[in-house]
Amino acid sequence: MKWLTQTLGILLLAGVSAVILYLCVGEPDRSFVCVQSELKEHHVCLETVAKDWQGDVLWVDARSESEFKKDHVDGALWVSETDAEEQLADPVNMEQIGMSGVSEQKLVVYCATDACGSSEVVAEKIRETGFHSEVYVLQGGWKALQAAKLKVAE
């Protein structure tokens, strides 16, 4: 029975310590940190998109259709990893991608997180079409966009 009392005492002490720490320091910093010089080729930080490119990009959402329908960046195209060839063959999508390349607008693909590989697959498939030469993957994906509170369409 003594071990139970000791365990409860430790838990109470830990809880009180956590509350005091929260009151003194505040919420943890959940901002997404990205360093452009440390990224792989064809990857880009949101800060680069916003500051260097002034946000003048064509967004491509590589998440699931349900996630895209729930919310996405305004004006984004939806291209899934599994149906990319079919979706990229669609004349409307081809025209948007091709015209963004002609107007020297960069194309940025994002998925749910920086760990999901669907944005890399979709970006490579877009490059293979030859419709656009400057295709990038957003480091941090949708989570980076949400952290920056980028305007989304619902």
Side-chain angles (χ1 to χ4, degrees):
M1 194 65 166
K2 185 176 178 181
W3 66 270
L4 183 60
T5 307
Q6 289 174 340
T7 303
L8 290 175
I10 290 171
L11 287 174
L12 180 64
L13 183 61
V16 169
S17 298
V19 169
I20 291 171
L21 182 65
Y22 179 81
L23 292 174
C24 292
V25 177
E27 288 191 36
D29 180 12
R30 291 187 174 93
S31 62
F32 184 80
V33 178
C34 182
V35 180
Q36 186 65 48
S37 62
E38 296 176 1
L39 298 181
K40 297 188 295 187
E41 184 180 16
H42 301 297
H43 283 239
V44 67
C45 293
L46 186 57
E47 183 178 357
T48 301
V49 173
K51 290 184 180 175
D52 296 348
W53 303 345
Q54 287 83 40
D56 185 27
V57 300
L58 174 62
W59 292 102
V60 175
D61 192 326
R63 298 176 302 151
S64 69
E65 184 175 16
S66 62
E67 289 175 310
F68 177 78
K69 286 182 177 180
K70 182 180 172 190
D71 52 8
H72 57 272
V73 176
D74 283 338
L77 293 177
W78 174 66
V79 179
S80 72
E81 177 182 4
T82 54
D83 298 325
E85 289 91 1
E86 183 179 306
Q87 289 172 309
L88 292 172
D90 181 304
V92 174
N93 289 342
M94 273 198 289
E95 182 179 358
Q96 275 191 284
I97 292 170
M99 290 309 292
S100 69
V102 169
S103 65
E104 297 182 10
Q105 187 180 41
K106 293 169 177 50
L107 191 146
V108 180
V109 183
Y110 64 90
C111 59
T113 66
D114 61 342
C116 78
S118 56
S119 57
E120 291 199 30
V121 171
V122 169
E124 186 57 36
K125 288 181 180 183
I126 292 171
R127 278 188 215 99
E128 288 172 0
T129 66
F131 294 131
H132 204 296
S133 60
E134 291 198 65
V135 182
Y136 299 88
V137 172
L138 179 65
Q139 189 70 21
W142 181 249
K143 287 187 177 186
L145 291 166
Q146 284 184 310
K149 294 178 177 50
L150 194 71
K151 185 179 178 193
V152 296
E154 293 188 19

